[in-house]
Amino acid sequence: MKECEYQQISGTAQTPSSVPATTLLDGGTKKPRLQRKWEVFPGKNRFYCGGRIMLARQTGVFVLTLGLILCTSGLFFIFDCPFLTEHVTIAIPIIGGLLLFFVMGSLLQTSFSDPGILPRATADEAADLEKQIDNTGSSTYRPPPRVKEIAINGQVVKLKYCFTCRMFRPPRSSHCSLCDNCVERFDHHCPWVGNCVGKRNYRFFYTFILSLSFLTSFIFACVVTHLTLRSQRKGFVEALKETPASVLELVVCFFSVWSVLGLSGFHTYLVAANLTTNEDIKGSWSGKRGSEDLNPYTYNSIISNCCATLCGPVPPSLIDRRGFVQPTAVLLPFSSREVPSYTEKSDSNMEDTCQDFAISCTA
């Protein structure tokens, strides 16, 4: 018994400092798995492929967009291209394939990328901001003001406070109610691409609608040419019976080409003026509300505005969705059931040892 007690107070016994670090965490001895930031992202987004792909929560219209483009293009390559290649030129399927490649590439890049989401303020950052605002020393809570004014190129710009993200939004930023995120240089939320359109993906969105307008016009013209050539030989009714899929392509392209062309022209105007859809609708700098404020972001040149919007480097993502969440585990105290109380046993064992040593000396 005494030997067993002596082993407990020896250096080979485990002490709280020598217990493995994994046992100091709540929930057992296994080391907890590190979470990535996309797994705890506070916005209303969906992530796929380990956070590499992000979409809005409502993706039904985006799937419809993909279906219309792929089905119409597939019918065109199957039913129209063989005839046009034989009777017109082999360049038609090549041009159609290149246009479809640009359309799908720009669409997926717009839909799957970060539009420019601004990370929300942490608790310490929000508390520090409130301390800077409340400089009167009052102990009562004062909510932060809704606006802050700054000057950009001699023009006063108001920065609005976002109570969801707990920060003052940078210029040209806005909070998307569908994605529940503040987006830098927010243009609009587009359900057709299933994502917000902002600073990081606007150029891909513009490339998408521009190439889609060319593809739609190209397929429409080719289908009309196909039906015209067939009707010259066998009549219009017989031509429709031989290629009924061409009629479907014609209807889809006819009703979509006007909206796509109009949208391309509108965004071409926005690019040339260095405006966003959000600013144009609100009339911030376009004078729609009778204000004479000039756009402080323009370079006073169409070429410079186009280069600044479309040709500049893509800024890095600020949310780092594939990064790891910093562990915040706290060392918990030991319970008497899991780890024995070393202090009480050590004191009693030392007392017994001293008594035995005193008896041996007096013997």
Side-chain angles (χ1 to χ4, degrees), residues 37-48 51 53-59 110-118 120 175-183 189 193-197 201 319 321:
K37 293 182 180 180
W38 67 268
E39 298 180 279
V40 295
F41 188 72
K44 298 178 181 179
N45 295 87
R46 292 181 178 180
F47 296 87
Y48 304 93
I53 296 175
M54 64 179 302
L55 281 168
R57 186 164 296 180
Q58 299 83 8
T59 57
T110 305
S111 304
F112 295 163
S113 61
D114 171 23
I117 297 175
L118 297 169
R120 301 187 181 187
H175 191 90
C176 177
S177 58
L178 296 177
C179 295
D180 198 22
N181 297 312
C182 279
V183 180
H189 180 92
V193 301
N195 200 356
C196 287
V197 179
N201 64 347
I319 56 176
R321 55 186 183 270

Side-chain angles (χ1 to χ4, degrees), residues 62-341:
F62 169 66
V63 175
L64 176 63
T65 304
L66 281 176
L68 285 175
I69 295 174
L70 294 177
C71 290
T72 305
S73 301
L75 293 176
F76 170 71
F77 286 111
I78 295 174
F79 294 96
D80 297 291
C81 282
F83 180 87
L84 294 174
T85 301
E86 182 180 355
H87 295 85
V88 182
T89 176
I90 196 176
I92 289 180
I94 298 176
I95 296 174
L98 291 176
L99 289 175
L100 180 61
F101 173 78
F102 277 106
V103 169
M104 293 304 301
S106 55
L107 172 60
L108 297 180
Q109 188 74 15
T110 305
S111 304
F112 295 163
S113 61
D114 171 23
I117 297 175
L118 297 169
R120 301 187 181 187
T122 62
D124 295 337
E125 292 172 346
D128 183 67
L129 179 60
E130 292 187 4
K131 289 180 181 179
Q132 294 178 8
I133 296 172
D134 188 9
N135 54 6
T136 60
S138 175
S139 58
T140 59
Y141 173 76
R142 294 178 58 191
R146 292 184 177 271
V147 293
K148 179 190 292 185
E149 293 184 349
I150 62 173
I152 299 179
N153 294 329
Q155 187 73 38
V156 177
V157 178
K158 293 182 179 180
L159 306 182
K160 294 184 178 181
Y161 183 85
C162 180
F163 287 91
T164 302
C165 301
R166 297 184 299 177
M167 67 176 181
F168 283 100
R169 293 193 291 262
R172 315 188 81 177
S173 302
S174 183
H175 191 90
C176 177
S177 58
L178 296 177
C179 295
D180 198 22
N181 297 312
C182 279
V183 180
E184 193 174 6
R185 199 186 183 278
F186 177 77
D187 191 87
H188 70 288
H189 180 92
C190 183
W192 296 100
V193 301
N195 200 356
C196 287
V197 179
K199 185 176 182 179
R200 297 190 71 251
N201 64 347
Y202 180 80
R203 67 189 64 192
F204 307 116
F205 173 77
Y206 181 74
T207 306
F208 164 66
I209 58 176
L210 194 64
S211 58
L212 183 61
S213 62
F214 281 109
L215 178 63
T216 308
S217 303
F218 179 77
I219 293 178
F220 182 79
C222 289
V223 171
V224 171
T225 304
H226 180 199
L227 294 177
T228 303
L229 294 177
R230 280 188 179 274
S231 61
Q232 290 177 354
R233 298 183 177 185
K234 301 180 180 180
F236 185 71
V237 177
E238 292 296 330
L240 295 182
K241 291 181 179 180
E242 290 181 357
T243 58
S246 299
V247 181
L248 179 60
E249 301 169 40
L250 199 66
V251 172
V252 173
C253 292
F254 178 79
F255 285 103
S256 59
V257 68
W258 309 110
S259 59
V260 175
L261 286 175
L263 190 62
S264 300
F266 172 69
H267 278 277
T268 300
Y269 154 73
L270 294 180
V271 170
N274 202 347
L275 288 172
T276 64
T277 303
N278 187 43
E279 293 170 347
D280 185 76
I281 292 176
K282 293 182 178 179
S284 302
W285 317 113
S286 57
K288 292 183 177 180
R289 296 184 177 181
S291 61
E292 299 180 355
D293 297 335
L294 299 177
N295 183 9
Y297 309 108
T298 182
Y299 292 91
N300 298 320
S301 171
I302 295 178
I303 298 178
S304 299
N305 288 336
C306 292
C307 292
T309 306
L310 303 176
C311 301
V314 179
S317 177
L318 300 178
I319 56 176
D320 187 24
R321 55 186 183 270
R322 283 190 47 80
F324 290 100
V325 179
Q326 295 297 328
T328 56
V330 180
L331 296 182
L332 301 178
F334 291 93
S335 61
S336 58
R337 179 178 58 86
E338 296 176 349
V339 181
S341 177

